[in-house]
């Protein structure tokens, strides 16, 4: 139809990349857009640099803590022979693979290093009868306990804490970026309110 206004067409060339639009010089870019872009870049560099450092520091502290714990456990715990004082429960499916993995709590009698006899409670294989013996770890007072930490357990726990530290740095960086963006958006809204308060009278007041 003659005189009809043609629809708007996009400018020639590839469209701007969404992740880089704040870096492009254009009339619509605000100062806060550049601030947000620089803040995001700074936080990214801080996370990439800080995460390995935090992981190394926390991992070193965790390793020394668990090594000290293992040394203390080796000094205060020892393995000995315990005798069941009553029959252990039987597994409902004898001979199954689950029976080999299942353990039931049972009362056992141990002789501690000073010669006294103590009764404690530990987990044993199903079906053992009273009088059977098992090897358990006990404290100096004769209480059943776990064996000391192994090198593999120390390494696993150390790696776990190091990973948590790195994740914590990354989450802190993400939170800081979100808060920075929120603060800048509020600043933009306040700026728009101020600009509209100055412009509105010229739109609504008759000349």
């Amino acid at each position: 139809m003659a005189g009809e206004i043609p629809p708007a067409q996009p400018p020639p060339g590839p469209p701007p990349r969404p992740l880089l639009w704040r870096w492009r010089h254009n009339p619509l870019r605000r100062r806060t857009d550049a601030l947000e872009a620089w803040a995001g870049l700074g936080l990214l560099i801080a996370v990439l640099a800080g995460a390995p450092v935090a992981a190394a520091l926390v991992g070193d502290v965790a390793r020394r803590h668990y090594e000290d714990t293992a040394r203390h456990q080796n000094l205060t715990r020892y393995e000995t022979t315990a005798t069941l004082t009553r029959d252990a429960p039987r597994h409902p499916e004898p001979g199954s693979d689950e029976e080999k993995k299942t353990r039931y709590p049972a009362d056992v009698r141990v002789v501690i290093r000073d010669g006294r006899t103590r009764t404690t409670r530990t987990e044993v294989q199903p079906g053992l009868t009273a009088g059977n013996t098992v090897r358990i770890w006990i404290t100096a007072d004769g209480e059943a306990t776990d064996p000391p930490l192994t090198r593999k357990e120390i390494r696993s726990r150390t790696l776990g804490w190091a990973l948590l530290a790195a994740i914590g740095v990354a989450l802190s960086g993400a939170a800081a970026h979100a808060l920075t963006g929120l603060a800048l958006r509020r600043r933009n809204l306040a700026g728009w309110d101020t600009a509209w308060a100055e412009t509105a009278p010229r739109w609504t007041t008759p000349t």
Side-chain angles (χ1 to χ4, degrees):
M1 181 182 295
E4 183 178 357
I5 300 175
Q9 298 294 328
R17 297 179 180 179
L19 295 178
L20 300 177
W21 71 269
R22 289 186 175 88
W23 300 98
R24 296 171 63 89
H25 293 282
N26 62 79
L28 298 180
R29 192 185 73 169
R30 300 157 297 189
R31 183 181 179 186
T32 51
D33 295 330
L35 288 175
E36 186 172 359
W38 281 110
L41 178 61
L43 287 171
L44 177 61
I45 294 174
V47 168
L48 293 177
V53 174
L57 292 176
V58 173
D60 183 63
V61 172
R63 177 185 56 79
R64 286 189 279 109
H65 166 73
Y66 288 120
E67 285 179 347
D68 290 342
T69 300
R71 281 192 291 267
H72 176 74
Q73 290 175 343
N74 277 303
L75 293 174
T76 58
R77 303 177 183 185
Y78 62 97
E79 191 177 18
T80 188
T81 300
T83 304
L84 272 72
T85 60
R86 62 182 63 183
D87 296 347
R90 293 187 176 277
H91 195 272
E93 299 179 9
S96 65
D97 291 336
E98 287 299 322
E99 183 186 23
K100 299 177 182 178
K101 303 176 183 178
T102 303
R103 295 293 183 271
Y104 290 107
D107 292 331
V108 295
R109 185 174 59 253
V110 295
V111 178
I112 59 179
R113 286 176 173 171
D114 63 4
R116 290 180 297 157
T117 300
R118 290 288 308 272
T119 299
T120 186
R121 197 166 181 82
T122 188
E123 293 186 346
V124 300
Q125 293 178 345
L128 293 180
T129 58
N132 283 137
T133 59
V134 292
R135 297 290 292 179
I136 66 170
W137 283 85
I138 61 172
T139 65
D141 294 331
E143 293 294 332
T145 187
D146 295 325
L149 293 174
T150 64
R151 299 300 302 177
K152 182 178 180 180
E153 290 173 330
I154 293 174
R155 182 168 57 253
S156 176
R157 296 186 184 190
T158 298
L159 290 176
W161 279 107
L163 180 60
L164 286 177
I167 293 174
V169 171
L171 292 179
S172 298
H177 183 264
L179 291 175
T180 301
L182 179 61
L184 292 175
R185 283 191 290 274
R186 287 183 175 178
R187 181 176 177 180
N188 288 337
L189 291 174
W192 289 336
D193 289 340
T194 301
W196 177 245
E198 296 174 354
T199 305
R202 284 181 275 174
W203 287 76
T204 57
T205 302
T207 56

